[in-house]
Amino acid sequence: MKMTFIAAALATTLLAAPAFADCAADLAKATEALKTIKLDEANATKAKDLTDKANAALAASDEAACTASSKELLTLLGM
């Protein structure tokens, strides 16, 4: 029973890692794009909020929130 639990926990961790890598990669791509893309004040504020949300979710290991925020940010940037 103990080995089954350990195997399940390990599998969950290994399967979640690529999703967080995608989120981190998307966030890095968006951050790099923000250096060159000119946004109006409203969109710049929204981009900052989405970046902050994605970073907080990444730090909290909240895969769904990180992915949602980073995808919305990329859409806002036209990527």
Side-chain angles (χ1 to χ4, degrees):
M1 179 74 161
K2 186 177 180 181
M3 291 299 280
T4 303
F5 178 74
I6 292 172
L10 181 60
T12 301
T13 302
L14 292 175
L15 292 174
F20 281 115
D22 289 344
C23 179
D26 287 346
L27 192 54
K29 187 186 326 180
T31 301
E32 193 63 32
L34 281 169
K35 294 177 182 176
T36 58
I37 293 176
K38 301 295 181 196
L39 298 172
D40 60 26
E41 188 174 334
N43 283 330
T45 300
K46 186 173 182 176
K48 182 181 180 335
D49 290 343
L50 288 169
T51 302
D52 292 345
K53 284 181 185 178
N55 279 319
L58 188 61
S61 298
D62 186 347
E63 174 187 350
C66 184
T67 301
S69 295
S70 63
K71 295 294 183 191
E72 188 176 347
L73 177 58
L74 288 173
T75 300
L76 177 70
L77 298 174
M79 301 177 76

